[in-house]
Amino acid sequence: MNTEWSSSVRERARLHAALGEPARLAIVDRLMLGDVSPSEIGRDLGVPSNLLAHHLKLLEQVGMIERSRSEGDHRRTYLCLRPQSLTGLVPTNPRSALRVVFVCTHNSARSQLAAALWARQSPVPTASAGTQPAARVHPRAVAVARSRGLSLTRTCRVDEVLHDGDLVVAVCDNAHEELGTKASDRLHWSIPDPARVDTDDAFDQAFSDIADRIDRLVPAVHPPGESHA
């Protein structure tokens, strides 16, 4: 047996073994579409904190998940799936939405890029908004979008955009935390703010992260009344 191939098989076996426990599979399934804090996922799944810590440790050891520190509440951490570990995994919890609204703090980069990508790939309508919208879209975001054949819209405030039936995707920690109980049908993507670094590479990385997440979410969201089969 080829040594390199054998190593690949062993690595895949480790991942499958990690997912062979129902609670760990449920954690990965929950993280397929968005990031959550350990306390949030423990509450959602009804898993005691000590047992949850055990499951998360095993998923981290096999390289399926990682933690990021909140850019908003710096004491909080979020659990994220590592994109390279997702080969062969697909969302198993399809949902319906009248519209998908991407929200970040300033509505000047991440949420704009996400909405533009969504509009290209999904028949479900989309919009973007900010909790504290900037006066204009960030020039580097405009450049990244233009280089991919996308165009961005003007900035808007969340309260002016959200409607009943919207699925909200908060694409930054601050927005997720500021929204609180608003938009109960909500996913969270813990994407670092590229404007903090303010380089072309940072905006390219943010775009790549968003594009990967869009690819995962699009097959799982359908207009109301449409079959999920």
Side-chain angles (χ1 to χ4, degrees):
M1 180 180 290
N2 181 280
T3 303
E4 182 178 355
W5 183 73
S6 177
S7 175
S8 173
V9 168
R10 287 197 297 270
E11 181 61 26
R12 287 171 55 208
R14 290 178 67 232
L15 296 178
H16 283 284
L19 295 177
E21 206 285 335
R24 290 195 288 275
L25 183 58
I27 291 169
V28 171
D29 191 50
R30 175 63 180 81
L31 293 174
M32 282 290 293
L33 302 183
D35 309 329
V36 295
S37 67
S39 61
E40 289 170 334
I41 202 165
R43 182 181 65 245
D44 291 348
L45 300 180
V47 178
S49 59
N50 59 336
L51 184 57
L52 178 66
H54 167 71
H55 291 316
L56 295 179
K57 180 179 179 181
L58 288 175
L59 290 173
E60 287 180 287
Q61 287 175 342
V62 298
M64 291 208 72
I65 68 171
E66 58 190 7
R67 299 173 190 254
S68 65
R69 182 72 61 178
S70 168
E71 291 185 343
D73 176 358
H74 299 288
R75 297 166 298 178
R76 187 182 307 199
T77 61
Y78 289 111
L79 303 168
C80 314
L81 278 182
R82 299 180 70 237
Q84 57 268 41
S85 73
L86 297 175
T87 302
L89 296 178
V90 296
T92 59
N93 51 342
R95 59 206 302 164
S96 64
L98 290 172
R99 191 174 58 156
V100 176
V101 179
F102 297 93
V103 177
C104 65
T105 305
H106 300 305
N107 191 215
S108 63
R110 290 165 288 183
S111 56
Q112 291 274 353
L113 293 169
L117 276 165
W118 183 271
R120 174 183 281 179
Q121 295 181 230
S122 173
V124 178
T126 188
S128 70
T131 55
Q132 302 171 40
R136 61 170 186 163
V137 179
H138 197 291
R140 293 190 192 275
V142 174
V144 167
R146 184 180 297 124
S147 70
R148 272 78 170 184
L150 301 170
S151 59
L152 307 183
T153 61
R154 67 179 180 85
T155 62
C156 298
R157 185 175 296 279
V158 166
D159 294 340
E160 300 171 348
V161 173
L162 290 188
H163 303 307
D164 291 341
D166 288 340
L167 168 62
V168 173
V169 182
V171 296
C172 78
D173 299 336
N174 277 302
H176 175 61
E177 291 157 17
E178 287 176 25
L179 284 170
T181 58
K182 290 183 182 179
S184 57
D185 190 10
R186 184 165 89 240
L187 298 173
H188 171 219
W189 296 351
S190 185
I191 301 171
D193 184 1
R196 291 192 176 192
V197 181
D198 202 14
T199 64
D200 291 342
D201 285 346
F203 278 81
D204 284 338
Q205 179 57 49
F207 182 90
S208 295
D209 191 353
I210 292 166
D212 176 76
R213 292 168 182 268
I214 292 286
D215 286 344
R216 278 184 264 159
L217 185 60
V218 163
V221 179
H222 305 268
E226 182 176 301
S227 172
H228 296 168

